[in-house]
Amino acid sequence: MRLLIVEDDPVLSDGLAVGLGLSGFTCDAVGTLADARAALRDHEFSAMVLDIMLPDGAGTDLLAQMRAAGNRLPVLLLTARDRVRDRVEGLDAGADDYLGKPCDLDELAARLRAMLRRGAGRATATVAWRDIVMDPAAMTATRGADVLRLSRREFAILQALLDRPGRILSRAQLEERLYGWQEDVESNAVEVHIHHLRAKLGRDAIQTVRGVGYRVAEGG
């Protein structure tokens, strides 16, 4: 899942990107509200980690604008302002979660997974489809009694497709979820990952909708 981190402290920003990357997230980071607005306009993210006190304004202003415009992107406010009143104001402004600095990276990753789980309408921490079960926290996948050995990219593609069976994701949408700004994307990268997944899951597991994208069957 691809995250946008809005944090003006470069050391903290880098630490968050690296730490959350180890938990399976693809992270892009900006340090101002203006850059955050441009990133949200030009790219698709699964969630955002947003600081409140930024050089060009308050993160809560951006959050309020997003919600007023109908943008439902899951947002976690991560800030040094951690009084009860601050947390209440942040949540009432439209945040899905709120965490004070400094924070534990494992807890932050768990809160992000919980937000994404709620957004996908799932009650459980695992993702199940047919006899395949994925555990995003442990980054493991099984098929029946067998452990599936998936690369990080393969895991991310399969999770994206299983989050909402039946929904078609285009190659561009999958690339947006898999790759950050600093990563080079080969033109056939998604097709190669899909090919590898079919070799491990069976050719009928992932359907190609010609000219549109990929999906797994709704209802398993």
Coordinates of all heavy atoms in Angstrom, one line a residue, residues 99-182:
L99 N -1.9 10.1 16.5 CA -0.8 9.6 17.3 C 0.2 10.7 17.6 O 0.5 11.5 16.8 CB -0.2 8.4 16.5 CG 0.8 7.5 17.2 CD1 0.2 6.8 18.3 CD2 1.4 6.5 16.2
G100 N 0.6 10.7 18.9 CA 1.6 11.7 19.3 C 3.0 11.3 19.0 O 3.4 10.1 18.9
K101 N 3.9 12.3 18.8 CA 5.3 12.0 18.6 C 6.0 12.1 20.0 O 5.6 12.9 20.9 CB 6.0 13.1 17.8 CG 5.4 13.2 16.3 CD 6.1 14.4 15.7 CE 5.6 14.6 14.3 NZ 6.1 15.8 13.6
P102 N 7.1 11.3 20.2 CA 7.5 10.3 19.3 C 6.6 9.1 19.4 O 5.9 8.9 20.4 CB 8.9 10.0 19.9 CG 8.8 10.3 21.4 CD 7.9 11.4 21.5
C103 N 6.7 8.3 18.3 CA 5.8 7.1 18.3 C 6.6 5.8 18.0 O 7.8 5.9 17.6 CB 4.8 7.3 17.2 SG 5.4 7.2 15.6
D104 N 6.0 4.7 18.3 CA 6.6 3.4 18.0 C 6.2 3.1 16.6 O 5.0 3.1 16.2 CB 6.1 2.4 19.0 CG 6.7 1.0 18.8 OD1 6.3 0.3 17.9 OD2 7.7 0.7 19.4
L105 N 7.2 2.7 15.7 CA 6.9 2.4 14.3 C 6.0 1.2 14.2 O 5.1 1.2 13.3 CB 8.2 2.2 13.6 CG 8.9 3.5 13.1 CD1 10.3 3.2 12.6 CD2 8.1 4.3 12.1
D106 N 6.1 0.2 15.0 CA 5.2 -0.9 14.9 C 3.8 -0.5 15.2 O 2.9 -1.0 14.6 CB 5.7 -2.0 15.9 CG 6.9 -2.7 15.4 OD1 7.3 -2.6 14.2 OD2 7.6 -3.3 16.3
E107 N 3.6 0.4 16.2 CA 2.2 0.8 16.5 C 1.7 1.6 15.4 O 0.5 1.5 15.0 CB 2.2 1.6 17.8 CG 0.8 2.1 18.1 CD 0.8 3.0 19.4 OE1 1.8 3.3 20.0 OE2 -0.3 3.5 19.7
L108 N 2.5 2.5 14.8 CA 2.1 3.3 13.7 C 1.7 2.4 12.5 O 0.6 2.7 11.9 CB 3.2 4.3 13.2 CG 2.9 5.1 12.0 CD1 1.7 6.0 12.1 CD2 4.2 6.0 11.7
A109 N 2.5 1.4 12.2 CA 2.1 0.5 11.1 C 0.8 -0.2 11.4 O 0.0 -0.4 10.5 CB 3.3 -0.5 10.9
A110 N 0.6 -0.6 12.6 CA -0.6 -1.3 13.0 C -1.8 -0.4 12.9 O -2.9 -0.9 12.4 CB -0.5 -1.9 14.4
R111 N -1.7 0.8 13.3 CA -2.8 1.8 13.2 C -3.1 2.0 11.7 O -4.3 2.1 11.3 CB -2.4 3.1 13.9 CG -2.5 3.0 15.4 CD -2.0 4.3 16.0 NE -2.0 4.2 17.5 CZ -3.0 4.7 18.2 NH1 -4.1 5.3 17.6 NH2 -3.0 4.6 19.5
L112 N -2.1 2.1 10.8 CA -2.4 2.3 9.4 C -3.0 1.1 8.8 O -4.0 1.2 8.0 CB -1.0 2.5 8.7 CG -0.4 3.9 9.0 CD1 1.0 3.9 8.5 CD2 -1.2 5.0 8.3
R113 N -2.6 -0.1 9.2 CA -3.3 -1.3 8.7 C -4.7 -1.4 9.2 O -5.6 -1.8 8.4 CB -2.5 -2.6 9.2 CG -1.2 -2.9 8.5 CD -0.7 -4.3 8.8 NE -0.4 -4.4 10.2 CZ 0.8 -4.2 10.7 NH1 1.8 -3.8 9.9 NH2 1.1 -4.3 12.0
A114 N -5.0 -0.9 10.4 CA -6.4 -0.9 10.9 C -7.2 0.1 10.1 O -8.4 -0.2 9.8 CB -6.4 -0.5 12.4
M115 N -6.7 1.3 9.8 CA -7.4 2.2 9.0 C -7.7 1.7 7.6 O -8.9 1.8 7.1 CB -6.6 3.5 8.8 CG -6.4 4.4 10.0 SD -5.9 6.1 9.6 CE -4.8 5.9 8.3
L116 N -6.7 1.0 7.0 CA -7.0 0.5 5.6 C -8.0 -0.7 5.7 O -8.8 -0.9 4.8 CB -5.6 0.0 5.1 CG -4.6 1.1 4.8 CD1 -3.2 0.6 4.5 CD2 -5.1 1.9 3.6
R117 N -7.9 -1.5 6.8 CA -8.8 -2.6 6.9 C -10.3 -2.0 7.0 O -11.2 -2.6 6.4 CB -8.5 -3.4 8.2 CG -9.3 -4.6 8.4 CD -8.7 -5.5 9.5 NE -8.6 -4.9 10.8 CZ -7.5 -4.6 11.5 NH1 -6.3 -4.8 11.0 NH2 -7.6 -4.1 12.7
R118 N -10.5 -1.0 7.9 CA -11.8 -0.4 8.0 C -12.3 0.1 6.6 O -13.4 0.0 6.3 CB -11.8 0.7 9.0 CG -11.6 0.2 10.5 CD -12.0 1.3 11.5 NE -11.1 2.4 11.4 CZ -9.9 2.6 12.1 NH1 -9.6 1.6 12.9 NH2 -9.2 3.6 11.9
G119 N -11.3 0.8 5.9 CA -11.7 1.4 4.6 C -12.1 0.3 3.6 O -13.0 0.6 2.8
A120 N -11.5 -0.9 3.7 CA -11.9 -2.0 2.8 C -13.1 -2.7 3.3 O -13.6 -3.7 2.6 CB -10.7 -2.9 2.7
G121 N -13.6 -2.4 4.5 CA -14.8 -3.0 5.0 C -14.6 -4.4 5.6 O -15.5 -5.2 5.7
R122 N -13.3 -4.6 6.0 CA -13.0 -5.9 6.6 C -12.9 -5.8 8.1 O -12.4 -4.8 8.7 CB -11.6 -6.4 6.1 CG -11.6 -6.9 4.7 CD -10.3 -7.6 4.3 NE -9.2 -6.6 4.2 CZ -8.2 -6.5 5.1 NH1 -8.2 -7.3 6.1 NH2 -7.3 -5.6 4.9
A123 N -13.4 -6.9 8.8 CA -13.4 -6.9 10.3 C -12.2 -7.6 10.8 O -11.8 -7.4 11.9 CB -14.7 -7.6 10.8
T124 N -11.6 -8.4 10.0 CA -10.4 -9.2 10.4 C -9.1 -8.7 9.9 O -9.1 -7.9 8.9 CB -10.6 -10.7 9.9 OG1 -10.6 -10.7 8.5 CG2 -11.9 -11.3 10.5
A125 N -8.0 -9.1 10.6 CA -6.7 -8.6 10.2 C -6.2 -9.3 9.0 O -5.2 -8.8 8.3 CB -5.7 -8.7 11.4
T126 N -6.7 -10.4 8.7 CA -6.3 -11.2 7.5 C -7.2 -11.0 6.3 O -8.3 -10.6 6.5 CB -6.2 -12.7 7.8 OG1 -7.5 -13.2 8.3 CG2 -5.1 -13.0 8.9
V127 N -6.7 -11.3 5.2 CA -7.4 -11.2 3.9 C -7.6 -12.6 3.4 O -6.6 -13.3 3.1 CB -6.7 -10.3 2.9 CG1 -7.5 -10.2 1.6 CG2 -6.4 -8.9 3.5
A128 N -8.8 -13.0 3.2 CA -9.0 -14.4 2.7 C -9.8 -14.4 1.4 O -10.7 -13.6 1.2 CB -9.8 -15.2 3.8
W129 N -9.4 -15.3 0.5 CA -10.1 -15.5 -0.8 C -9.8 -16.9 -1.2 O -8.7 -17.3 -1.3 CB -9.5 -14.5 -1.8 CG -10.2 -14.5 -3.2 CD1 -11.4 -14.0 -3.5 CD2 -9.7 -15.2 -4.3 NE1 -11.6 -14.3 -4.8 CE2 -10.6 -15.0 -5.4 CE3 -8.5 -15.9 -4.6 CZ2 -10.4 -15.5 -6.6 CZ3 -8.3 -16.4 -5.8 CH2 -9.2 -16.2 -6.9
R130 N -10.9 -17.6 -1.5 CA -10.8 -19.0 -1.8 C -10.0 -19.7 -0.6 O -10.2 -19.5 0.5 CB -10.2 -19.3 -3.2 CG -11.1 -18.8 -4.3 CD -10.6 -19.1 -5.7 NE -11.5 -18.7 -6.7 CZ -11.2 -18.8 -8.0 NH1 -10.1 -19.3 -8.4 NH2 -12.1 -18.4 -8.9
D131 N -8.9 -20.4 -1.0 CA -8.1 -21.0 0.1 C -6.8 -20.2 0.3 O -5.9 -20.7 1.0 CB -7.7 -22.5 -0.3 CG -7.0 -22.6 -1.7 OD1 -7.0 -21.6 -2.4 OD2 -6.5 -23.7 -2.0
I132 N -6.8 -19.0 -0.1 CA -5.6 -18.1 0.1 C -5.9 -17.2 1.3 O -7.0 -16.6 1.3 CB -5.3 -17.3 -1.2 CG1 -5.0 -18.2 -2.3 CG2 -4.2 -16.3 -0.9 CD1 -4.9 -17.5 -3.7
V133 N -5.0 -17.1 2.2 CA -5.1 -16.2 3.4 C -3.8 -15.4 3.4 O -2.7 -15.9 3.5 CB -5.3 -17.0 4.7 CG1 -5.3 -16.1 5.9 CG2 -6.5 -17.9 4.6
M134 N -4.0 -14.1 3.5 CA -2.9 -13.1 3.6 C -2.9 -12.5 4.9 O -4.0 -12.1 5.4 CB -3.0 -12.1 2.5 CG -3.0 -12.6 1.1 SD -2.9 -11.3 -0.2 CE -1.2 -10.8 0.0
D135 N -1.8 -12.3 5.5 CA -1.6 -11.6 6.8 C -0.8 -10.3 6.5 O 0.5 -10.5 6.5 CB -1.0 -12.5 7.8 CG -0.9 -11.8 9.2 OD1 -1.1 -10.6 9.3 OD2 -0.8 -12.5 10.2
P136 N -1.3 -9.2 6.3 CA -0.5 -8.0 6.0 C 0.4 -7.6 7.1 O 1.5 -7.1 6.9 CB -1.6 -6.9 5.8 CG -2.8 -7.6 5.4 CD -2.8 -8.9 6.2
A137 N 0.1 -7.9 8.4 CA 1.0 -7.5 9.5 C 2.3 -8.4 9.5 O 3.4 -7.9 9.7 CB 0.3 -7.7 10.8
A138 N 2.1 -9.7 9.2 CA 3.3 -10.6 9.2 C 3.9 -10.6 7.8 O 4.9 -11.2 7.6 CB 2.8 -12.0 9.6
M139 N 3.2 -10.1 6.8 CA 3.6 -10.1 5.4 C 3.8 -11.6 5.0 O 4.8 -12.0 4.3 CB 4.8 -9.3 5.2 CG 4.6 -7.8 5.3 SD 6.1 -6.8 5.0 CE 6.2 -7.1 3.2
T140 N 2.8 -12.4 5.3 CA 2.8 -13.8 4.9 C 1.5 -14.2 4.2 O 0.5 -13.5 4.3 CB 2.9 -14.7 6.1 OG1 1.8 -14.5 7.0 CG2 4.2 -14.5 6.9
A141 N 1.6 -15.2 3.4 CA 0.4 -15.7 2.6 C 0.5 -17.2 2.6 O 1.6 -17.8 2.4 CB 0.4 -15.1 1.2
T142 N -0.7 -17.8 2.7 CA -0.8 -19.3 2.6 C -1.9 -19.7 1.7 O -2.8 -18.9 1.4 CB -1.1 -19.9 4.0 OG1 -2.3 -19.3 4.5 CG2 0.0 -19.6 5.0
R143 N -1.7 -20.8 1.1 CA -2.7 -21.4 0.3 C -3.0 -22.8 0.8 O -2.2 -23.7 0.7 CB -2.3 -21.5 -1.2 CG -3.4 -22.0 -2.1 CD -3.0 -22.0 -3.5 NE -4.2 -22.2 -4.4 CZ -4.1 -22.4 -5.7 NH1 -3.0 -22.3 -6.3 NH2 -5.2 -22.6 -6.4
G144 N -4.1 -23.0 1.5 CA -4.3 -24.2 2.3 C -3.2 -24.3 3.3 O -3.0 -23.4 4.1
A145 N -2.6 -25.4 3.3 CA -1.5 -25.7 4.3 C -0.1 -25.2 3.8 O 0.8 -25.3 4.6 CB -1.4 -27.2 4.7
D146 N -0.1 -24.7 2.6 CA 1.2 -24.3 2.0 C 1.5 -22.9 2.2 O 0.6 -22.0 2.0 CB 1.2 -24.7 0.5 CG 1.0 -26.2 0.2 OD1 1.5 -27.0 1.1 OD2 0.4 -26.5 -0.8
V147 N 2.7 -22.5 2.5 CA 3.2 -21.2 2.6 C 3.5 -20.7 1.2 O 4.3 -21.3 0.5 CB 4.4 -21.0 3.6 CG1 4.9 -19.6 3.5 CG2 4.0 -21.5 5.0
L148 N 3.0 -19.6 0.8 CA 3.3 -19.0 -0.5 C 4.5 -18.1 -0.4 O 4.6 -17.2 0.5 CB 2.1 -18.2 -1.0 CG 0.9 -19.0 -1.4 CD1 -0.3 -18.0 -1.7 CD2 1.1 -19.8 -2.6
R149 N 5.5 -18.3 -1.2 CA 6.7 -17.5 -1.1 C 6.6 -16.4 -2.2 O 6.9 -16.6 -3.4 CB 8.0 -18.4 -1.4 CG 8.1 -19.5 -0.4 CD 9.4 -20.2 -0.4 NE 9.5 -21.3 0.5 CZ 9.8 -21.1 1.8 NH1 10.0 -19.8 2.3 NH2 9.8 -22.1 2.7
L150 N 6.1 -15.2 -1.7 CA 5.9 -14.1 -2.6 C 6.9 -13.0 -2.4 O 7.3 -12.7 -1.3 CB 4.5 -13.5 -2.4 CG 3.3 -14.5 -2.4 CD1 2.0 -13.8 -2.2 CD2 3.2 -15.2 -3.8
S151 N 7.3 -12.4 -3.5 CA 8.2 -11.2 -3.3 C 7.3 -10.1 -2.8 O 6.1 -10.1 -2.7 CB 8.7 -10.8 -4.7 OG 7.7 -10.3 -5.5
R152 N 8.0 -9.0 -2.4 CA 7.3 -7.8 -1.8 C 6.3 -7.3 -2.8 O 5.2 -6.9 -2.5 CB 8.3 -6.8 -1.4 CG 7.7 -5.5 -0.8 CD 8.8 -4.6 -0.3 NE 8.3 -3.3 0.2 CZ 8.3 -2.2 -0.6 NH1 8.8 -2.3 -1.8 NH2 7.9 -1.1 -0.1
R153 N 6.7 -7.2 -4.1 CA 5.8 -6.7 -5.1 C 4.6 -7.6 -5.4 O 3.5 -7.2 -5.5 CB 6.6 -6.5 -6.4 CG 7.8 -5.6 -6.3 CD 7.5 -4.2 -6.0 NE 8.7 -3.4 -6.2 CZ 8.9 -2.2 -5.7 NH1 7.9 -1.7 -4.9 NH2 10.0 -1.5 -5.9
E154 N 4.9 -8.9 -5.4 CA 3.9 -9.9 -5.7 C 2.8 -9.8 -4.5 O 1.6 -9.9 -4.8 CB 4.5 -11.3 -5.8 CG 5.3 -11.5 -7.1 CD 6.2 -12.7 -7.0 OE1 6.1 -13.5 -6.0 OE2 7.0 -12.9 -7.9
F155 N 3.3 -9.7 -3.3 CA 2.5 -9.6 -2.1 C 1.6 -8.4 -2.3 O 0.4 -8.4 -2.0 CB 3.3 -9.6 -0.9 CG 2.5 -9.7 0.4 CD1 2.3 -10.9 1.0 CD2 1.9 -8.6 1.0 CE1 1.6 -11.1 2.2 CE2 1.1 -8.7 2.2 CZ 1.0 -9.9 2.7
A156 N 2.2 -7.3 -2.6 CA 1.4 -6.0 -2.7 C 0.3 -6.1 -3.8 O -0.8 -5.6 -3.6 CB 2.3 -4.9 -3.0
I157 N 0.7 -6.7 -5.0 CA -0.3 -6.8 -6.1 C -1.5 -7.7 -5.6 O -2.7 -7.4 -5.8 CB 0.3 -7.4 -7.3 CG1 1.2 -6.3 -8.0 CG2 -0.7 -7.9 -8.3 CD1 1.9 -6.8 -9.2
L158 N -1.1 -8.9 -5.0 CA -2.2 -9.8 -4.6 C -3.1 -9.2 -3.5 O -4.3 -9.3 -3.5 CB -1.5 -11.1 -4.0 CG -2.5 -12.2 -3.7 CD1 -3.4 -12.6 -4.9 CD2 -1.8 -13.4 -3.1
Q159 N -2.5 -8.4 -2.6 CA -3.3 -7.8 -1.5 C -4.2 -6.7 -2.2 O -5.4 -6.6 -1.8 CB -2.4 -7.1 -0.5 CG -3.2 -6.5 0.6 CD -2.3 -5.8 1.7 OE1 -1.1 -5.9 1.6 NE2 -2.9 -5.2 2.7
A160 N -3.7 -6.0 -3.1 CA -4.5 -4.9 -3.8 C -5.7 -5.6 -4.5 O -6.9 -5.1 -4.4 CB -3.7 -4.2 -4.8
L161 N -5.5 -6.7 -5.1 CA -6.6 -7.4 -5.8 C -7.6 -8.1 -4.9 O -8.8 -8.1 -5.1 CB -6.0 -8.4 -6.8 CG -5.2 -7.9 -8.0 CD1 -4.6 -9.0 -8.7 CD2 -6.1 -7.0 -8.9
L162 N -7.1 -8.6 -3.8 CA -7.9 -9.3 -2.8 C -8.7 -8.4 -1.9 O -9.7 -8.8 -1.3 CB -7.1 -10.3 -2.0 CG -6.5 -11.5 -2.8 CD1 -6.0 -12.6 -1.8 CD2 -7.4 -12.1 -3.8
D163 N -8.2 -7.2 -1.8 CA -8.9 -6.2 -0.9 C -10.4 -6.0 -1.4 O -11.3 -5.9 -0.5 CB -8.2 -4.9 -0.9 CG -7.2 -4.8 0.2 OD1 -7.3 -5.6 1.2 OD2 -6.4 -3.9 0.2
R164 N -10.6 -6.0 -2.7 CA -11.9 -5.9 -3.2 C -12.1 -6.8 -4.4 O -11.9 -6.3 -5.6 CB -12.2 -4.4 -3.6 CG -12.2 -3.5 -2.4 CD -12.6 -2.1 -2.7 NE -12.5 -1.2 -1.6 CZ -12.7 0.1 -1.6 NH1 -12.9 0.7 -2.8 NH2 -12.6 0.8 -0.5
P165 N -12.4 -8.1 -4.2 CA -12.5 -9.0 -5.3 C -13.6 -8.5 -6.3 O -14.6 -8.0 -5.9 CB -13.0 -10.3 -4.6 CG -12.4 -10.2 -3.2 CD -12.5 -8.8 -2.9
G166 N -13.3 -8.7 -7.5 CA -14.3 -8.2 -8.6 C -13.9 -6.9 -9.1 O -14.3 -6.6 -10.3
R167 N -13.2 -6.1 -8.4 CA -12.8 -4.7 -8.9 C -11.6 -4.9 -9.8 O -10.7 -5.6 -9.5 CB -12.5 -3.8 -7.7 CG -12.1 -2.4 -8.2 CD -11.7 -1.5 -7.0 NE -10.6 -2.1 -6.3 CZ -9.9 -1.4 -5.4 NH1 -10.3 -0.2 -5.1 NH2 -8.9 -1.9 -4.7
I168 N -11.7 -4.2 -10.9 CA -10.6 -4.2 -11.9 C -9.6 -3.1 -11.6 O -10.0 -2.0 -11.4 CB -11.1 -4.0 -13.3 CG1 -12.1 -5.1 -13.7 CG2 -10.0 -4.1 -14.3 CD1 -12.9 -4.9 -15.0
L169 N -8.3 -3.5 -11.5 CA -7.2 -2.5 -11.3 C -6.4 -2.5 -12.6 O -5.9 -3.5 -13.1 CB -6.4 -2.9 -10.1 CG -7.0 -2.8 -8.7 CD1 -6.1 -3.3 -7.6 CD2 -7.5 -1.3 -8.5
S170 N -6.2 -1.3 -13.1 CA -5.4 -1.2 -14.3 C -3.9 -1.3 -14.0 O -3.5 -1.2 -12.8 CB -5.6 0.2 -15.0 OG -5.1 1.2 -14.1
R171 N -3.1 -1.5 -15.0 CA -1.7 -1.5 -14.8 C -1.2 -0.3 -14.1 O -0.3 -0.3 -13.2 CB -0.9 -1.8 -16.1 CG 0.6 -2.0 -15.9 CD 1.3 -2.2 -17.3 NE 1.4 -0.9 -18.0 CZ 2.1 -0.8 -19.1 NH1 2.6 -1.9 -19.7 NH2 2.2 0.4 -19.7
A172 N -1.7 0.9 -14.6 CA -1.2 2.2 -14.0 C -1.6 2.2 -12.5 O -0.8 2.7 -11.7 CB -1.9 3.3 -14.8
Q173 N -2.8 1.8 -12.2 CA -3.2 1.8 -10.8 C -2.3 0.9 -9.9 O -2.0 1.2 -8.8 CB -4.7 1.4 -10.6 CG -5.7 2.4 -11.1 CD -7.1 1.9 -11.1 OE1 -7.4 0.8 -11.6 NE2 -8.0 2.7 -10.6
L174 N -2.0 -0.3 -10.4 CA -1.1 -1.2 -9.7 C 0.3 -0.6 -9.6 O 0.9 -0.6 -8.5 CB -1.0 -2.5 -10.4 CG -2.3 -3.4 -10.3 CD1 -2.2 -4.6 -11.2 CD2 -2.5 -3.8 -8.8
E175 N 0.8 0.1 -10.6 CA 2.1 0.8 -10.6 C 2.1 1.8 -9.5 O 3.0 2.0 -8.7 CB 2.5 1.3 -11.9 CG 2.9 0.3 -12.9 CD 3.1 0.9 -14.3 OE1 2.8 2.1 -14.5 OE2 3.6 0.2 -15.2
E176 N 1.0 2.6 -9.4 CA 0.9 3.7 -8.4 C 1.0 3.1 -7.0 O 1.5 3.7 -6.1 CB -0.5 4.4 -8.6 CG -0.5 5.4 -9.7 CD 0.1 6.7 -9.2 OE1 -0.1 7.2 -8.1 OE2 0.9 7.3 -10.0
R177 N 0.4 1.9 -6.8 CA 0.4 1.3 -5.5 C 1.8 0.7 -5.1 O 2.2 0.6 -4.0 CB -0.6 0.2 -5.4 CG -2.0 0.6 -5.3 CD -3.0 -0.5 -5.6 NE -4.4 -0.1 -5.4 CZ -5.1 -0.2 -4.3 NH1 -4.6 -0.9 -3.3 NH2 -6.3 0.2 -4.3
L178 N 2.5 0.3 -6.2 CA 3.8 -0.5 -6.0 C 5.0 0.4 -5.9 O 6.0 0.0 -5.2 CB 4.0 -1.5 -7.1 CG 3.0 -2.6 -7.2 CD1 3.3 -3.4 -8.4 CD2 3.0 -3.5 -6.0
Y179 N 5.0 1.5 -6.6 CA 6.3 2.2 -6.7 C 6.2 3.6 -6.3 O 5.3 4.4 -6.6 CB 6.7 2.2 -8.2 CG 6.9 0.8 -8.8 CD1 5.9 0.1 -9.5 CD2 8.1 0.1 -8.5 CE1 6.1 -1.1 -10.0 CE2 8.4 -1.2 -9.0 CZ 7.3 -1.8 -9.7 OH 7.5 -3.1 -10.2
G180 N 7.2 4.1 -5.5 CA 7.3 5.4 -5.1 C 8.0 6.3 -6.2 O 8.4 5.8 -7.2
W181 N 8.1 7.6 -5.8 CA 8.7 8.5 -6.8 C 10.1 8.2 -7.2 O 10.6 8.6 -8.3 CB 8.6 10.0 -6.2 CG 7.2 10.4 -6.0 CD1 6.1 10.0 -6.7 CD2 6.7 11.3 -5.0 NE1 5.0 10.6 -6.2 CE2 5.3 11.4 -5.2 CE3 7.4 12.0 -4.0 CZ2 4.6 12.2 -4.3 CZ3 6.6 12.8 -3.2 CH2 5.2 12.9 -3.3
Q182 N 10.9 7.7 -6.2 CA 12.3 7.5 -6.5 C 12.6 6.2 -7.1 O 13.8 5.8 -7.3 CB 13.0 7.5 -5.1 CG 12.7 8.8 -4.3 CD 13.1 10.1 -5.0 OE1 14.1 10.1 -5.7 NE2 12.2 11.1 -4.9

